Amino acid sequence: MRAEGKKISAADIARLSPLGFEHFNMLGRYNFSLPELVRDGQLRPLRTPPPAE
């Protein structure tokens, strides 16, 4: 980004972390289709947590 002339603060650089992605298949085919019930808005009700003791 600096090579493109953008200003980057040292504080932003300090917060960066390397992204490990060797285990990701960047060239694969992915299916993110939703089940029909979810597409139709028929979600299960949320769980009611037990009362705090």
Side-chain angles (χ1 to χ4, degrees), residues 1 6-7 15-16 19 21 23 26-27 31-32 39 42-43 47-48 50 53:
M1 291 174 68
K6 297 180 182 177
K7 293 185 179 185
R15 291 187 189 96
L16 292 177
L19 171 66
F21 58 88
H23 60 286
M26 300 292 195
L27 302 176
N31 180 1
F32 295 103
R39 270 196 322 262
Q42 298 177 13
L43 303 175
R47 180 179 62 88
T48 304
E53 293 180 15

Side-chain angles (χ1 to χ4, degrees), residues 2-46:
R2 283 183 174 155
E4 295 174 0
K6 297 180 182 177
K7 293 185 179 185
I8 303 170
S9 71
D12 290 337
I13 297 293
R15 291 187 189 96
L16 292 177
S17 65
L19 171 66
F21 58 88
E22 289 89 15
H23 60 286
F24 292 148
N25 179 5
M26 300 292 195
L27 302 176
R29 295 183 69 172
Y30 302 93
N31 180 1
F32 295 103
S33 61
L34 296 173
E36 192 172 324
L37 291 174
V38 174
R39 270 196 322 262
D40 293 341
Q42 298 177 13
L43 303 175
R44 67 172 178 81
L46 295 176

